[in-house]
Amino acid sequence: MSAHPDAHAPLERWRSQLATGGRDVPGFDPNDGGAAARLLLLLETPGAHGPAIVSRDHATGTSRNLKRFLADAGIERRDTLLWNAVPWNVHAPGERNRPLRRAEIAEGLSLLPPLLHLLPRLELVVLAGRVAREAAALVDRERPLVGVLTMPHPSPTFVCTSPAVPRAIAATLAEAAARLSRAGGPAPR
């Protein structure tokens, strides 16, 4: 079930401003909650050129893992919004991902406050991975009443390193579902 188109309009206006200067900034998934989202799941950076949106529906290992973990936790899609700490593709088309540079991370995080304020129903931010975790203080400062949870990144590279990684992701998203339920949302399945 997709969000009402109006739920995405302010987000897309903001995103289009980021895409100036030729940056490849994928859009928001219209099947997610848009500006009505209660949970922002912040990842690292887009993983590939081409997909026009940040989505759990891409044919990548990270997307498949994320889709499975969110479904297993019973988190409703309409309650979520996926985004990246560095929202543009940093690697050249056709090349593999490269590590993010400190300046890219700092710039990406400096762009996050306007997004946080475009989400009036936001109750919780889940920071996935090392880079996204750097946004914790920023979220606390900009939206002090919003909860923050951290989890490992859902990339197959990390998920396959140890059985503890998928357990940690599952536990974090179960906690997120419980918090959303306590706040008045649908009960976890």
Side-chain angles (χ1 to χ4, degrees):
M1 177 172 151
S2 63
H4 190 278
D6 291 344
H8 287 276
L11 299 177
E12 282 302 323
R13 281 192 295 275
W14 174 77
R15 186 208 59 84
S16 69
Q17 293 172 350
L18 299 181
T20 59
R23 278 196 169 144
D24 181 9
V25 181
F28 295 93
D29 189 330
N31 294 312
D32 288 348
R38 298 168 58 213
L39 183 150
L40 172 64
L41 199 148
L42 195 66
L43 297 155
E44 185 172 295
T45 192
H49 287 272
I53 59 175
V54 178
S55 178
R56 71 192 79 199
D57 295 327
H58 293 311
T60 66
T62 297
S63 295
R64 283 190 299 272
N65 283 344
L66 190 56
K67 186 173 189 171
R68 177 177 49 89
F69 284 121
L70 287 165
D72 288 351
I75 297 173
E76 297 288 333
R77 190 166 190 159
R78 70 176 176 261
D79 285 332
T80 64
L81 184 70
L82 305 182
W83 196 241
N84 288 291
V86 176
W88 59 89
N89 282 297
V90 298
H91 54 282
E95 291 185 13
R96 294 176 52 105
N97 279 0
R98 63 163 173 77
L100 290 167
R101 296 180 180 110
R102 291 296 327 150
E104 291 167 335
I105 296 168
E107 183 181 0
L109 293 176
S110 76
L111 301 171
L112 191 56
L115 175 62
L116 294 172
H117 293 288
L118 287 172
L119 305 172
R121 296 184 65 220
L122 188 64
E123 298 169 23
L124 188 60
V125 177
V126 174
L127 305 172
R130 178 189 56 80
V131 171
R133 274 195 305 272
E134 293 187 34
L138 185 146
V139 174
D140 286 341
R141 182 182 69 241
E142 294 293 325
R143 297 290 302 268
L145 301 178
V146 169
V148 176
L149 296 174
T150 63
M151 69 180 204
H153 194 281
S155 163
T157 303
F158 298 116
V159 170
C160 294
T161 59
S162 163
V165 173
R167 283 196 300 267
I169 293 171
T172 300
L173 293 177
E175 173 64 17
R179 286 187 186 197
L180 291 175
S181 178
R182 285 193 302 267
R189 293 184 253 187

